[in-house]
Structure formats: structure tokens, C-alpha cells
């Protein structure tokens, strides 16, 4: 008699018995480690950059890098671990790459116990910084998923990222408020016209984040958006933080509320933030956010950290500089001076997560104390003393072509700082450009002080009677910068998410 047995039964019986066929179920896609939230690259320089991905289980991240989209010349790099300690995230520094070149990378994860079992690859790309004076273009902005405005598929999701991607920028400068850990994302919000805004939700965003896992979830929430993932795969990020990566108006000089299950800010903020972004790590100070990113002969970017070193801005420090008045802190201030002095780049972009002269009250209801640089009309006091010092230094040292880029205040603006209009006058004129929100409530405009003489050349804000407008109102903004490789001219354009150019100016560089 002939006994027939199905192939499926034969395979399962063989594996359970003599072990002739090892773990056949691992051939199924669901049993292979997967990339969960797309890929990212960041902190790209002339010869490399950082690649990031997250797995769905403990595994090893495997990266191949090539200069062709076909991966014909691919170079496989040694695998690195993605373990529970980092929420299964992993990031790898790619080095020894050619300058000014499109770089393609392919990421997959490998099972820890079975080295031949790998998941499906996800491909990303970035462009290394040029060694020659070619054109450079980038976009910037901040403020994502704030005020309860999350991912609404009916509104197109986080559509501003798709608009920015059309420009194929060399990089994206994220000015902070990458998440709103202290903000809830409800399933529905009733709009003023009676319509419903419907958010994609996850359980962790139904409450304020108070644990490490909830902070991680806030970062992962943004990566659920298809526009964000597609943008990340094509455009490297230069990222800094502001306050909502922890809680509103956060600094190390303040205490978290007692309700927080984890009270260590360094655990909540630094760990989740550094796990989720492709940043180069500092050996001198692990977890450091401030750093210099050079992108060719025309551009150096100085990324500031205006949270980790600030003091409480107490009343005894209103006219003298001391620990209570720190905003950048002495070490960061010295680093910025050295970097600006030593820079040979045509343009020195200072990436600040807060504008210089906008008063942002710590207690908005009672107009008490500014949590920003600005302290009210001059002369310089408290935190403004650091800005006065750096502006005086730039003038005295003969440093030219500095531009400040920022976000934070949820509207778009262009400020020209004119010493002839200022209370403190020992500085050379310069520009500050404000963009955002990328996907959050729109507010403003804020009150300006006259300490450094800002002249408003452009402003796009809802006005006092229309605060916290949803993304569907169309007032989501980003900045676009293009540096002409031949002339060195910098053109700065402020745009909305529909890609309407709201305001633009071209700056002629002074000889370096």
C-alpha cells in the first residue's frame, strides 16, 4: 500500500524528529526580523554619515553601501546589535565614502540565533558633502505633532514633508520640538467649522508621556506617517531638540512633576532622543546635542543646545552674567566662538531652537518671566548677556556671513537685526529666519523686544484671534535655502505646505 503525505506535513515532521531540516518556519516573512519604521540617515559630511533603523525584535543590523542604485558595487559592513536596551534601534557610522556623491544604503536585520535568517531590506540614500563649490540646498523647520494635531489620513497626513521632499534637498535641519511628549493625540478634534479632525492614534499618545517607553512611542508615532518615512529615506537629518522632547519649557534647572514615573530627565529626554535619530555621538560628552556639521566649502552649520545648560534666570542675574543666567553655558559658548573663528566656510549658519528676540513667557497667563533669550526691552539682561557676548565677538573677530535659523514659535518670519535700531549696538547687522510649524498648531505673532533691534521684514501668523489653527488651515511652514556654488549667494525662501513661496531674499556673501 502506498502512503501519501503532504509536503507541509513532511517538513514539519522532519523538523520535529531528526532535525534534518532546521527551523523551516523561519522561511515565512513574519518569522524574519523586520524594519519597523523605515530608515534614516543623518549628520552627513564630506566622507560619510550615520544610518539608522529599528527592528521588531532582538537582532543584528546589516548594512550594505554603494554608489549605484543597483548596488552593483555594494560594500557590506560588519553587523551591529539591535537589542531591547535601545528599543531595538541601531545606528551605524558610514565612513570612507567619496565626497559629493549619491550614496545608496540597504538595511536589513538578521536573526540572532540563525545567521542565515534575514528580513526584507529597506533602501535609503543621501548625498555626501561636496569638496568643491557646487550648489547646496537644504530645508529647515520644527514642531511636529503638537497641540493634538496628529496624523490625519483624510487631510493627507504630514503633508509638509512631501512638499519639502520635492526640492531634493541635501539635508533637512530639524530645529526641535521633534515630538510633543507632553501632548495628547486624541482620536478626534472638533474644528471651529463643525468638521472633525480624525487622528491616527496609538495607546501611548492617549496620555502625557511619563515613562521611557512612552517617550520612545512619541518618536515612533511620527514615523507612522508615510510622508515622513519616504522623506527620511531620501533626505538626511541634522537634528536638535527644544523643550517638548521632555515637557513644556523644560530645562535641567526645573523639576518634573511628581506624577512622572521616571524623574530622571536624562533618561526620558536624552536616551529616547538619541536612540531615535541618526546623530554622531560625542566621545567627550556622551549625549551632547551641540555640534558642528560641515557641508562643503560654502557651509558650516552650528547646532546649538539651548536646554541642557540653562539656568533658572533668577532675579539676581538680571544685569550680571552667572549660572542663573546661563542659556548656552560657558563651554558651549566657547565652542561656538572657536568654531566661528576657525570656520573657512562662506556661510556660518547658527541653528538655534529658539528665536533671539521673541518673548516667550514661562507663565503665559500671567506674563511672568521669559523662557527664551529675550527679557524685554534692553539693555541686555540675564540670558541676553550671552547673545550680546557672541554678537560682540563676531564683530570684533571680523567673522562674516552669519545667519541664524530657528523655529519654535509656530509661524514664519524674517528678522533683520540692525544695531542702529537696537539698545545694544556693538554688533554687525545679520538675519534671523523663522519657520514652522511643520505639522502642529499655528500661533502668533509673539512680542518682540528691542535689545538687539530686530526689524520685521516678513511675518505670516494667524493673529491674536486665530490661535492654534490645525494643519488643515494650510498655515504649516518650512524654510528653503539654496547656496549658489559659483557665486556663493544664499537665497532663503519661506514656503507653506502647499509650496507657495511666501517671502524670499538673496544674500550676497562678503569675502571670507
Amino acid at each position: 500500500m502506498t502512503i501519501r503525505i503532504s509536503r507541509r506535513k513532511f517538513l514539519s515532521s522532519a523538523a520535529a524528529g531528526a532535525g534534518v531540516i532546521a527551523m523551516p518556519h523561519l522561511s515565512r516573512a513574519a518569522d524574519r526580523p523586520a524594519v519597523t519604521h523605515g530608515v534614516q540617515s543623518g549628520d552627513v559630511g564630506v566622507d560619510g554619515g550615520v544610518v539608522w533603523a529599528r527592528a521588531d525584535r532582538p537582532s543584528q543590523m546589516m548594512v550594505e553601501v554603494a554608489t549605484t542604485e543597483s548596488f552593483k558595487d555594494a560594500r557590506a559592513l560588519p553587523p551591529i546589535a539591535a537589542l531591547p536596551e535601545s528599543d531595538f534601534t541601531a545606528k551605524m557610522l558610514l565612513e570612507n565614502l567619496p565626497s559629493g556623491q549619491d550614496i545608496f544604503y540597504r538595511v536589513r536585520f538578521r536573526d540572532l540565533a540563525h545567521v542565515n535568517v534575514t528580513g526584507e531590506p529597506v533602501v535609503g540614500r543621501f548625498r555626501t558633502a561636496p569638496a568643491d563649490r557646487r550648489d547646496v540646498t537644504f530645508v529647515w523647520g520644527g514642531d511636529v505633532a503638537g497641540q493634538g494635531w496628529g496624523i490625519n489620513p483624510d487631510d493627507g497626513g504630514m503633508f509638509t514633508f512631501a512638499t519639502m521632499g520635492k526640492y531634493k534637498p541635501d539635508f533637512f535641519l530639524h530645529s526641535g520640538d521633534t515630538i510633543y511628549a507632553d501632548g495628547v493625540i486624541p482620536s478626534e478634534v472638533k474644528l471651529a467649522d463643525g468638521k472633525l479632525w480624525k487622528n491616527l492614534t496609538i495607546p501611548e499618545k492617549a496620555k502625557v508621556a511619563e515613562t521611557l517607553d512612552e517617550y520612545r512611542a512619541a518618536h515612533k508615532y511620527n514615523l507612522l506617517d508615510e510622508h515622513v518615512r519616504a522623506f527620511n529615506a531620501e533626505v538626511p537629518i541634522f537634528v536638535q531638540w527644544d523643550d517638548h522632547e521632555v515637557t513644556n519649557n523644560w530645562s535641567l534647572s526645573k523639576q518634573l512633576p511628581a506624577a512622572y514615573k521616571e524623574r530622571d530627565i536624562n533618561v526620558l529626554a536624552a536616551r529616547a532622543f538619541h536612540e531615535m535619530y541618526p546623530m554622531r555621538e560625542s566621545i567627550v560628552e556622551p549625549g551632547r546635542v551641540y555640534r558642528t556639521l560641515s557641508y562643503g566649502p560654502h557651509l558650516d552649520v552650528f547646532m546649538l543646545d539651548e536646554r541642557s545648560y540653562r539656568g533658572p534666570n533668577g532675579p539676581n542675574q538680571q544685569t550680571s552674567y552667572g549660572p542663573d543666567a546661563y542659556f548656552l553655558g560657558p563651554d558651549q559658548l566657547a565652542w561656538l566662538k572657536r568654531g566661528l573663528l576657525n570656520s573657512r566656510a562662506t556661510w556660518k549658519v547658527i541653528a538655534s531652537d529658539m528665536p533671539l528676540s521673541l518673548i516667550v513667557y514661562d507663565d503665559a497667563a500671567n506674563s511672568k518671566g521669559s523662557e527664551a533669550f529675550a527679557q524685554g526691552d534692553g539693555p541686555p539682561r540675564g540670558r541676553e548677556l550671552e547673545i550680546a557676548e557672541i554678537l560682540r565677538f563676531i564683530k570684533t573677530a571680523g567673522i562674516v556671513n552669519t545667519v541664524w535659523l530657528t523655529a519654535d514659535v509656530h509661524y514664519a518670519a524674517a528678522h533683520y537685526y540692525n544695531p542702529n535700531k537696537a539698545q545694544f549696538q556693538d554688533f554687525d547687522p545679520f538675519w534671523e529666519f523663522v519657520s514652522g510649524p511643520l505639522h502642529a498648531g499655528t500661533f502668533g505673532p509673539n512680542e518682540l523686544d528691542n535689545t538687539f533691534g530686530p526689524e520685521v521684514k516678513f511675518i505670516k501668523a494667524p493673529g491674536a484671534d486665530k490661535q492654534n489653527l490645525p494643519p488643515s488651515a494650510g498655515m504649516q511652514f518650512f524654510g528653503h535655502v539654496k547656496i549658489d556654488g559659483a557665486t556663493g549667494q544664499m537665497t532663503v525662501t519661506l514656503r507653506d505646505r502647499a509650496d507657495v513661496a511666501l517671502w524670499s531674499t538673496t544674500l550676497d556673501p562678503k569675502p571670507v
Side-chain angles (χ1 to χ4, degrees), residues 16-337:
V20 175
I21 300 177
M23 304 295 287
H25 67 281
L26 287 173
S27 64
R28 300 199 305 265
D31 292 316
R32 295 170 177 265
V35 176
T36 61
H37 293 82
V39 293
Q40 298 182 75
S41 65
D43 284 14
V44 169
V46 72
D47 65 350
V50 180
V51 166
W52 174 98
R54 181 182 181 275
D56 62 349
R57 69 195 72 184
S59 53
Q60 288 182 315
M61 184 170 82
M62 304 175 66
V63 178
E64 296 173 279
V65 61
T67 56
T68 59
E69 195 168 7
S70 67
F71 285 88
K72 181 179 179 181
D73 59 347
R75 172 165 55 100
L77 302 172
I80 59 175
L83 300 175
E85 290 79 4
S86 64
D87 194 35
F88 311 128
T89 64
K91 48 188 175 179
M92 181 182 294
L93 177 62
L94 310 185
E95 297 181 293
N96 302 315
L97 301 176
S99 63
Q101 174 72 50
D102 284 339
I103 302 296
F104 301 87
Y105 61 93
R106 186 160 55 193
V107 177
R108 70 179 74 199
F109 287 96
R110 180 170 72 181
D111 189 86
L112 289 179
H114 305 88
V115 295
N116 294 322
V117 177
T118 60
E120 292 296 316
V122 177
V123 175
R125 67 190 294 175
F126 61 85
R127 187 180 301 120
T128 49
D132 59 349
R133 295 180 180 272
R134 71 159 171 81
D135 292 355
V136 172
T137 180
F138 66 94
V139 291
W140 95 91
D143 317 307
V144 181
Q147 292 73 52
W149 308 113
I151 301 166
N152 180 357
D154 295 338
D155 188 55
M158 296 188 180
F159 193 74
T160 309
F161 286 87
T163 305
M164 291 192 297
K166 293 179 182 178
Y167 291 90
K168 299 189 181 302
D170 289 305
F171 62 88
F172 164 48
L173 196 166
H174 201 313
S175 302
D177 285 345
T178 57
I179 62 169
Y180 283 72
D182 54 340
V184 172
I185 303 250
S187 60
E188 293 181 348
V189 180
K190 189 173 183 178
L191 303 179
D193 60 4
K195 295 180 180 179
L196 286 180
W197 174 279
K198 296 182 179 181
N199 285 315
L200 175 67
T201 60
I202 60 173
E204 294 89 346
K205 286 300 294 178
K207 61 183 293 295
V208 170
E210 297 169 335
T211 68
L212 177 57
D213 283 343
E214 289 168 352
Y215 273 78
R216 288 165 166 166
H219 288 283
K220 288 183 284 189
Y221 177 82
N222 296 345
L223 298 176
L224 297 177
D225 184 84
E226 61 180 346
H227 301 306
V228 172
R229 293 196 308 275
F231 183 82
N232 288 348
E234 294 284 330
V235 183
I237 187 172
F238 294 2
V239 66
Q240 64 192 153
W241 61 13
D242 193 27
D243 56 340
H244 291 285
E245 283 81 2
V246 182
T247 188
N248 189 43
N249 297 344
W250 159 74
S251 74
L252 284 177
S253 63
K254 298 181 179 181
Q255 294 293 320
L256 288 171
Y260 278 63
K261 298 177 180 65
E262 170 61 63
R263 302 297 303 283
D264 187 339
I265 286 179
N266 289 310
V267 170
L268 292 176
R271 185 168 174 182
F273 181 80
H274 282 274
E275 285 174 351
M276 294 304 297
Y277 293 100
M279 296 173 61
R280 294 183 186 240
E281 300 293 344
S282 170
I283 298 175
V284 176
E285 182 187 353
R288 178 185 289 180
V289 172
Y290 72 83
R291 61 206 188 279
T292 306
L293 297 168
S294 296
Y295 202 85
H298 275 316
L299 180 63
D300 282 345
V301 182
F302 298 90
M303 306 288 290
L304 302 185
D305 178 356
E306 294 163 4
R307 292 289 162 185
S308 301
Y309 313 102
R310 65 165 69 185
N313 204 31
N316 294 329
Q317 296 295 334
Q318 291 303 296
T319 58
S320 62
Y321 183 64
D324 280 359
Y326 289 169
F327 205 75
L328 303 176
D331 291 343
Q332 185 175 188
L333 196 63
W335 158 83
L336 180 57
K337 289 179 179 179

Side-chain angles (χ1 to χ4, degrees), residues 406-488:
T406 185
D408 180 64
V409 290
H410 298 238
Y411 64 87
H415 302 142
Y416 182 71
Y417 284 81
N418 186 347
N420 295 327
K421 302 290 183 68
Q423 294 296 304
F424 174 83
Q425 297 183 321
D426 195 8
F427 68 94
D428 291 327
F430 66 95
W431 283 93
E432 174 188 64
F433 300 102
V434 185
S435 74
L438 297 173
H439 190 87
T442 313
F443 292 86
N446 286 63
E447 178 185 351
L448 285 168
D449 79 6
N450 67 359
T451 305
F452 303 111
E455 298 179 12
V456 178
K457 298 298 185 179
F458 169 79
I459 192 166
K460 182 70 171 179
D465 59 333
K466 294 182 179 180
Q467 299 295 281
N468 195 16
L469 292 180
S472 55
M475 296 187 73
Q476 307 291 287
F477 310 116
F478 69 95
H480 176 245
V481 177
K482 182 177 180 181
I483 301 174
D484 186 280
T487 66

